[in-house]
């Protein structure tokens, strides 16, 4: 637990500029020092945010990373889908690591939606049915929970404070979804046992439930700073991502507003987090995928999923994607992480455009078929061949690394403000 020194940050949204796992957890932890509230506004326990401090590793799924700071208020906003069992497990694990979590420092929106056991069963059944066309979900029930929300049949977190109504509504939903599970030949969810377990979890979580839009606005009125912890990444966004190989929420900066009830005009800054290369976990098109880079990173013990442990697919930095992400998120700044992952390479490539059926294009196509038909156009950079992980100042970086970063700024149109050269908090350089 650390205590913040000051509070001089404006309202900032942090988003992922690629397919998730960009290192948002680490960057958010670094800038939380200057925030008062840390807000999660989208996604669920599909997220896995790693923070490493003083040799301790924390992996956050639903709880904002700000919880690792002693005096920060953490908010789970209305845009989140919340698995009460996953949350209790996460709380227990963090408490075991010495983290304080109380209804005073973790507030949960009364309008978030519940992820229930039938959502997970439906998620897995659907993936199994899709076979080799599967999305490669995290199996956390995210898609079916958001589908229930949009279908206006979801259960909101306010019900955790109303046990009788919760039991009644939950029975209705279990019976409804069991019909689908039965038709799919999948084991049904036990009715009474599930209700009893959910009511037990509800009694523990009820004191955390409140109107978090009001919590955020009162904080803003009191001159406090909000930090929005993005989950997933731009290309997993339900609208802007590589549909259908996406998650089911709005992962881009606009989602932070609808998912929290804080209006766009209250936002002062957007920071997009981006690896110095690209990774993706799950299925879907990936133009700059490169097995050699994957082998190199996996052999270094890197790029295994924080939530599912799956090996991430790896490739060169795709500046077309990052430029477009900067545009639709309105990003003022880029935080580049994992630059040290490229330390050993003689040659480093950046994709600057695509060739689609003989034509050069500068924006990601909107269909999977067109994306798969794209060929990357690369430019080549000489590697710095030096261990960056112990560098203390940006100025000390080798010229070749500085040149690579300068080119990333030119290609993406955003200023690099933070740089990651290792997984620990103290391996973050201010540029
Ligand atoms: P998130 O989901 O965006 O928070 O990212 P994850 O935590 O899922 O994955 C990022 C991985 O990269 C984690 O293992 C981090 O510890 C690690 N990481 C983050 N920044 C850096 C960096 O600059 N260098 C190195 N070597 N690892 C980093
Ligand atoms: P963080 O916040 C990387 C991917 C899954 C799958 C697709 C849909 O740690 O960056 P879902 O379970 O959401 O229905 O899966 O989205 N995915 C992520 N990939 N990082 C994440 O979160 C992800 N959350 C979902 O692998 O391809
Ligand atoms: Mg992650």
């Amino acid at each position: 637990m650390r205590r913040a020194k000051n509070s001089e940050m404006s309202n900032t949204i942090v988003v992922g500029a690629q397919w998730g796992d960009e290192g948002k957890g680490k960057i958010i932890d670094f800038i939380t020092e200057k925030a008062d509230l840390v807000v999660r506004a989208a996604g669920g326990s599909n997220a896995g945010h790693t923070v490493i401090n003083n040799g301790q590793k924390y992996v956050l799924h639903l709880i904002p990373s700000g919880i690792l700071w002693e005096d920060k208020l953490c908010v789970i906003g209305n845009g989140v889908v919340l698995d009460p069992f996953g949350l209790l497990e996460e709380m227990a694990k963090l408490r075991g690591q010495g983290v304080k979590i109380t209804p005073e420092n973790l507030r949960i929106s009364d309008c978030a939606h519940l992820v229930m056991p039938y959502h997970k069963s439906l998620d897995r059944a659907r993936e199994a049915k899709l076979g080799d066309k599967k999305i490669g979900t995290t199996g956390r029930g995210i898609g079916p929970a958001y589908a229930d929300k949009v279908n206006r049949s979801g259960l909101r977190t306010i019900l955790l404070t109303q046990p009788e109504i919760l039991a009644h509504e939950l029975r209705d939903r279990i019976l409804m979804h069991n019909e689908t599970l039965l038709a799919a030949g999948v084991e049904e969810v036990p009715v009474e046992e599930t209700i009893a377990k959910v009511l037990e979890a509800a009694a523990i979580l009820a004191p955390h439930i409140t109107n978090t839009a009001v919590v955020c606005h009162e904080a803003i009125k009191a001159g406090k700073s909000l930090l929005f912890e993005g989950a997933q990444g731009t290309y997993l966004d339900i609208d802007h991502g590589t549909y259908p190989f996406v998650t089911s929420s709005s992962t881009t900066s606009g989602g932070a507003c609808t998912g929290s009830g804080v209006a766009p005009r209250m936002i002062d800054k957007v920071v997009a987090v981006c690896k110095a290369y690209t990774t993706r976990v799950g299925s879907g098109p990936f133009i700059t995928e490169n097995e050699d880079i994957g082998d190199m990173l996996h052999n270094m013990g890197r790029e295994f999923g924080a939530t599912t442990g799956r090996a991430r697919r790896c490739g060169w930095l795709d500046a077309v994607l990052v430029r477009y992400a900067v545009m639709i998120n309105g990003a003022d700044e880029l935080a580049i992480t994992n630059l040290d992952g490229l330390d050993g390479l003689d040659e480093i490539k950046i994709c600057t455009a695509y060739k689609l059926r003989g034509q050069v294009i500068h924006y990601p196509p909107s269909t999977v078929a067109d994306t798969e038909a794209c060929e990357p156009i690369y430019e080549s950079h000489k590697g710095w061949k030096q261990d960056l992980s112990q560098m203390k100042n940006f100025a000390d970086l080798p010229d070749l690394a500085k040149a690579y970063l300068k080119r990333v700024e030119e290609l993406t149109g955003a200023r690099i403000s933070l740089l990651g050269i290792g997984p620990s908090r103290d391996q973050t350089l201010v540029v």
Side-chain angles (χ1 to χ4, degrees), residues 6 44 106 169 259 365 415 424:
N6 54 34
L106 178 65
E169 295 290 324
R415 186 177 79 79
S424 301

Side-chain angles (χ1 to χ4, degrees), residues 25-100:
K26 184 190 131 151
I27 294 299
I28 286 157
D29 176 64
F30 187 80
I31 54 185
T32 292
E33 183 168 15
K34 293 183 178 163
D36 300 294
L37 263 72
V38 185
V39 185
R40 262 290 297 274
S45 44
N46 48 351
H49 297 173
T50 316
V51 177
I52 300 178
N53 283 319
N54 297 328
Q56 267 259 52
K57 178 173 167 177
Y58 307 88
V59 182
L60 291 306
H61 300 285
L62 269 166
I63 301 177
S65 307
I67 205 77
L68 305 177
W69 290 77
E70 206 173 281
D71 48 2
K72 305 299 176 184
L73 179 58
C74 289
V75 168
I76 296 180
N78 55 276
V80 168
V81 287
L82 184 135
D83 168 6
F85 304 114
L87 179 58
L88 289 175
E89 216 175 281
E90 188 176 339
M91 283 175 158
K93 188 151 187 235
L94 289 170
R95 283 183 179 134
Q97 292 183 286
V99 179
K100 187 185 78 174

Side-chain angles (χ1 to χ4, degrees), residues 401-416:
K402 284 185 188 155
Y404 178 78
L405 295 169
K406 187 163 180 292
R407 185 65 181 140
V408 173
E409 287 187 327
E410 280 167 9
L411 288 168
T412 60
R415 186 177 79 79
I416 297 173

Side-chain angles (χ1 to χ4, degrees), residues 16 19-24 40 44-50 60-61 123 127 135-144 230-233 236 244-249 279-284 306-308 310 312:
W19 278 291
D21 301 330
E22 295 90 349
K24 298 177 294 295
R40 262 290 297 274
S45 44
N46 48 351
H49 297 173
T50 316
L60 291 306
H61 300 285
D123 189 358
E127 285 282 275
I135 292 172
T137 72
T138 59
R140 299 294 192 272
I142 305 300
Q232 288 77 52
L236 291 172
F245 299 99
V246 293
T247 189
S248 302
S249 60
T279 65
R280 161 162 219 175
V281 60
S283 327
T307 295
T308 58
R310 289 178 291 180
R312 295 173 181 147

Side-chain angles (χ1 to χ4, degrees), residues 376-408:
I377 298 175
Y378 286 120
E379 64 177 32
S380 179
H381 291 254
K382 199 166 179 308
W384 44 90
K385 301 277 282 175
Q386 195 178 325
D387 176 7
L388 300 185
S389 65
Q390 304 308 317
M391 300 266 163
K392 296 295 169 220
N393 296 297
F394 179 75
D396 302 336
L397 249 54
D399 287 345
L400 287 170
K402 284 185 188 155
Y404 178 78
L405 295 169
K406 187 163 180 292
R407 185 65 181 140
V408 173

Side-chain angles (χ1 to χ4, degrees), residues 60-317:
L60 291 306
H61 300 285
L62 269 166
I63 301 177
S65 307
I67 205 77
L68 305 177
W69 290 77
E70 206 173 281
D71 48 2
K72 305 299 176 184
L73 179 58
C74 289
V75 168
I76 296 180
N78 55 276
V80 168
V81 287
L82 184 135
D83 168 6
F85 304 114
L87 179 58
L88 289 175
E89 216 175 281
E90 188 176 339
M91 283 175 158
K93 188 151 187 235
L94 289 170
R95 283 183 179 134
Q97 292 183 286
V99 179
K100 187 185 78 174
I101 307 170
T102 68
E104 279 67 52
N105 72 347
L106 178 65
R107 324 294 331 259
I108 302 171
S109 167
D110 51 7
C111 294
H113 275 252
L114 291 172
V115 178
M116 289 285 104
Y118 46 79
H119 290 131
K120 291 189 186 174
S121 301
L122 290 166
D123 189 358
R124 289 170 192 164
R126 182 164 185 267
E127 285 282 275
K129 192 162 176 229
L130 283 169
D132 58 9
K133 292 199 172 66
K134 70 176 183 206
I135 292 172
T137 72
T138 59
R140 299 294 192 272
I142 305 300
Y146 277 114
D148 262 0
K149 172 179 173 174
V150 176
N151 201 25
R152 292 154 295 181
S153 54
L155 302 177
R156 284 174 147 191
T157 35
I158 184 72
L159 293 178
L160 296 177
T161 67
Q162 302 172 345
E164 279 177 29
I165 307 176
L166 174 59
H168 176 80
E169 295 290 324
L170 185 54
R171 182 172 286 107
D172 174 77
R173 298 312 187 281
I174 298 173
L175 293 173
M176 178 176 98
H177 287 302
N178 272 350
E179 284 181 24
T180 315
L181 292 173
L182 193 64
V186 175
E187 200 182 332
E188 293 165 82
V189 169
V191 184
E192 299 310 324
E193 189 190 322
T194 304
I195 295 173
K197 280 192 188 155
V198 173
L199 288 178
E200 216 176 284
I204 305 171
L205 293 174
H208 295 266
I209 307 291
T210 190
N211 183 330
T212 50
V214 172
V215 171
C216 290
H217 280 276
E218 281 179 352
I220 292 171
K221 253 193 271 166
K224 298 196 166 161
S225 298
L226 274 57
L227 175 60
F228 294 86
E229 174 167 348
Q232 288 77 52
T234 298
Y235 295 98
L236 291 172
D237 185 278
I238 185 71
D239 287 281
H240 302 290
T242 44
Y243 190 91
F245 299 99
V246 293
T247 189
S248 302
S249 60
S250 297
T251 64
T252 40
S253 57
C257 294
T258 46
S260 64
V262 175
R265 62 186 286 268
M266 305 289 190
I267 306 301
D268 301 291
K269 188 157 86 171
V270 179
V271 178
V273 185
C274 173
K275 276 180 177 147
Y277 46 93
T278 311
T279 65
R280 161 162 219 175
V281 60
S283 327
F286 182 173
I287 296 175
T288 62
E289 186 165 18
N290 180 296
E291 267 182 36
D292 292 341
I293 299 175
D295 289 345
M296 176 190 79
L297 293 164
H298 294 145
N299 287 336
M300 290 158 82
R302 296 163 69 142
E303 301 309 344
F304 294 93
T307 295
T308 58
R310 289 178 291 180
R312 295 173 181 147
R313 299 158 63 194
C314 302
W316 296 115
L317 182 71

